[in-house]
Amino acid sequence: MARPDKAAAVAELTEQFRSSNAAVLTEYRGLTVAQLKTLRRSLGENAQYAVVKNTLTKIAANEAGITTLDDLFNGPTAVAFVTGDPVESAKGLRDFAKDNPNLVIKGGVLDGKALSADEIKKLADLESREVLLSKLAGALKGKQSQAASVFQALPSKLVRTVDALRAKQDEQGGAE
């Protein structure tokens, strides 16, 4: 029979897996409490970093439908549950790991798809969602203005052509 405290912990972890956009597993061996506090701050407001028990977390992940992480639950493990922009949290982890080599990114999951440690680092290299959206909006605005110029040029070119034909006819009519 499962102990009530363990069942509650599994239920809480399962809910965190279900409500998160992404989850990143790390090994934190050798980090101090102060360093972990700094890491939590560097992840941003939309991420929660929790030191977890492997067995309970593996059960919770499986209950949430995530079975691709089973091989990563070994050694001291902590999970960053990301509810906002995963790029921001991935950047926080990457930058912290550069300064603190004791933090090892094991892997994770993003919208149900398993990610390796290298893929998480590539995700960190992306620009934030807001920057990408603003670039897209700028590109679309530029294309709209180009289209407007083309559409405006066609009638004005037609008018100039008709005027030129009329002037040519007037010259030919006056010469006869």
Side-chain angles (χ1 to χ4, degrees):
M1 188 87 177
R3 291 190 357 214
D5 58 335
K6 288 186 178 182
V10 168
E12 182 181 338
L13 287 168
T14 302
E15 181 55 34
Q16 284 182 313
F17 274 113
R18 287 184 178 148
S19 64
S20 299
N21 298 341
V24 180
L25 276 66
T26 63
E27 182 176 320
Y28 63 93
R29 187 186 329 242
L31 293 176
T32 65
V33 173
Q35 288 172 324
L36 287 174
K37 188 174 182 180
T38 304
L39 173 59
R40 285 185 173 98
R41 272 193 242 116
S42 70
L43 291 177
E45 296 177 6
N46 299 322
Q48 182 182 0
Y49 189 75
V51 174
V52 294
K53 292 188 179 276
N54 288 333
T55 307
L56 299 180
T57 308
K58 185 176 181 180
I59 293 168
N62 288 333
E63 285 183 11
I66 301 169
T67 57
T68 56
L69 302 177
D70 289 353
D71 296 338
L72 303 178
F73 291 112
N74 51 32
T77 303
V79 182
F81 294 103
V82 183
T83 55
D85 186 9
V87 174
E88 178 185 350
S89 298
K91 284 182 183 190
L93 284 169
R94 178 199 60 197
D95 295 343
F96 186 85
K98 281 181 185 176
D99 297 335
N100 300 282
N102 287 334
L103 180 75
V104 177
I105 299 172
K106 296 180 178 183
V109 64
L110 174 65
D111 293 328
K113 181 189 174 290
L115 297 175
S116 68
D118 290 335
E119 289 172 323
I120 292 170
K121 290 174 186 170
K122 286 179 186 175
L123 181 66
D125 292 335
L126 290 176
E127 293 175 335
S128 71
R129 183 176 190 271
E130 291 77 20
V131 171
L132 291 175
L133 287 175
S134 66
K135 283 185 176 184
L136 177 64
L140 290 175
K141 185 177 180 184
K143 293 298 178 190
Q144 286 176 340
S145 65
Q146 287 176 350
S149 298
V150 168
F151 293 138
Q152 187 178 13
L154 290 175
S156 64
K157 187 174 182 180
L158 177 66
V159 168
R160 286 193 304 268
T161 305
V162 169
D163 284 344
L165 283 173
R166 189 175 300 136
K168 189 173 185 179
Q169 283 179 345
D170 288 346
E171 285 178 13
Q172 288 177 354
E176 289 179 25

